[in-house]
């Protein structure tokens, strides 16, 4: 079975500051990893994913995450956040191979202040 | 860009009543999923569905729950006799056939905006 731990329930940060949202996972089999974002009163949107290959993956809006197998981590980073990045961020893991259920972390609420 | 849609956005019902939550997956997707998120808790997997059969279900998905693809576009979740603890946001998701190794994105699930179910 897989599990996900998001170490911070809330992360307050000032606009234009860097941010890291931490995610650790546990699994006895190979996995795929995802970050989803939930803006206020909206659904879950895929932010980025790691399936294979390069351990550093990027999103179109400046976020990146690095898969670290030895540390079993998939931390999300952004060098300079905007007010519009305020949202809840969910890390999720699934057994590799596709079509498997996603196991979600508890979420991290990112609050960007001016 | 194609999206998963869900109706209604908010459903209020009395305990013991039946509810049907509706989802329209992305048109070329063939794997469908339901998840739920009780307020303040994690998003939890309920069930996956492919080829008119349940592929996997969680412990939460008991006999009170059922899923159906009644036609070529809709995917529904029915709760036969709602309980107070069924109050949650219910998310539908879909994925296409073919993993990334074959050039597809079946490894990725795309979510709808959710239906907030309130059981009184």
């Amino acid at each position: 079975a897989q599990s996900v731990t998001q170490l911070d329930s809330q992360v307050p940060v000032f606009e234009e500051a860097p941010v890291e949202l931490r995610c650790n996972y546990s699994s006895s089999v190979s996995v795929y990893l995802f970050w989803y974002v939930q803006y206020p009163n909206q659904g879950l949107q895929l932010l980025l994913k790691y399936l294979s290959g390069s351990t550093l993956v990027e999103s179109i809006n400046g976020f990146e995450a690095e898969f670290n197998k030895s540390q079993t981590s998939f931390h999300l980073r952004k060098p300079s956040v905007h007010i519009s990045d305020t949202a809840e961020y969910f890390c999720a893991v699934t057994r590799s191979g596709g079509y498997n259920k996603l196991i979600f972390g508890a979420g991290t609420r990112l609050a960007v202040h001016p | 860009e194609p999206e998963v849609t869900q109706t209604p956005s908010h459903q209020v019902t009395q305990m013991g009543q039946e509810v049907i939550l509706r989802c329209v997956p992305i048109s070329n997707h063939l794997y469908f999923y339901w998840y739920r998120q009780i307020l303040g808790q994690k998003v939890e997997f309920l069930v996956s569905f492919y080829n008119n059969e349940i592929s996997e279900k969680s412990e939460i998905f008991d006999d009170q729950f059922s899923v159906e693809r009644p036609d070529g576009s809709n995917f529904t979740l029915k709760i036969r006799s709602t309980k107070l603890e069924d109050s949650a946001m219910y998310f539908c998701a879909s994925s296409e056939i073919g993993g990334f190794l074959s050039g597809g994105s079946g490894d990725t699930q795309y979510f709808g905006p959710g239906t907030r179910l309130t059981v009184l």
Side-chain angles (χ1 to χ4, degrees):
Chain A
Q2 294 79 47
S3 67
V4 176
T5 302
Q6 291 185 244
L7 296 160
D8 306 294
S9 59
Q10 295 187 60
V11 173
V13 64
F14 288 109
E15 195 173 18
E16 297 183 6
V19 71
E20 178 180 80
L21 307 184
R22 296 179 292 170
C23 171
N24 286 90
Y25 71 93
S26 172
S27 178
S28 57
V29 298
S30 63
V31 295
Y32 297 154
L33 292 153
F34 303 81
W35 277 98
Y36 283 86
V37 58
Q38 186 178 32
Y39 297 103
N41 300 313
Q42 295 188 29
L44 297 166
Q45 299 176 28
L46 178 67
L47 187 61
L48 46 74
K49 62 185 177 183
Y50 171 79
L51 304 180
S52 180
S54 172
T55 57
L56 185 65
V57 291
E58 299 177 352
S59 72
I60 58 173
N61 57 353
F63 282 94
E64 65 179 30
E66 185 159 20
F67 170 59
N68 187 320
K69 189 174 182 180
S70 62
Q71 308 258 346
T72 61
S73 68
F74 190 55
H75 301 331
L76 182 70
R77 302 183 183 94
K78 189 170 185 180
S80 176
V81 293
H82 302 289
I83 296 285
S84 59
D85 293 324
T86 294
E88 185 115 23
Y89 291 79
F90 293 94
C91 182
V93 65
T94 184
R95 198 172 69 239
S96 63
Y99 322 124
N100 297 306
K101 64 185 177 187
L102 286 165
I103 307 296
F104 283 86
T108 297
R109 184 169 300 278
L110 176 64
V112 182
H113 302 285
Chain B
E1 186 177 328
E3 292 180 335
V4 176
T5 60
Q6 291 184 242
T7 54
S9 57
H10 191 189
Q11 173 96 46
V12 181
T13 189
Q14 295 291 325
M15 190 169 56
Q17 295 295 305
E18 174 184 286
V19 295
I20 297 176
L21 309 183
R22 291 183 168 79
C23 168
V24 178
I26 295 172
S27 62
N28 65 332
H29 286 189
L30 295 178
Y31 267 89
F32 314 117
Y33 312 81
W34 283 102
Y35 293 80
R36 79 172 184 189
Q37 183 183 26
I38 295 172
L39 189 64
Q41 297 186 25
K42 292 184 180 185
V43 177
E44 304 171 287
F45 168 78
L46 292 177
V47 66
S48 59
F49 188 87
Y50 170 69
N51 200 25
N52 282 320
E53 288 184 350
I54 290 175
S55 301
E56 185 178 3
K57 60 182 181 179
S58 71
E59 293 174 355
I60 303 167
F61 195 87
D62 61 22
D63 291 343
Q64 292 299 313
F65 292 89
S66 62
V67 288
E68 190 180 26
R69 187 151 164 84
D71 53 44
S73 59
N74 289 283
F75 178 53
T76 62
L77 173 70
K78 182 193 288 186
I79 309 175
R80 289 190 182 80
S81 179
T82 50
K83 306 184 185 79
L84 294 175
E85 54 265 35
D86 293 328
S87 294
M89 181 74 91
Y90 288 80
F91 293 106
C92 173
S94 68
S95 63
E96 67 176 29
I97 294 293
F100 76 98
L101 292 175
S102 58
S105 64
D107 322 270
T108 303
Q109 296 176 29
Y110 295 89
F111 284 76
T115 292
R116 181 168 297 284
L117 176 65
T118 302
V119 183
L120 302 176

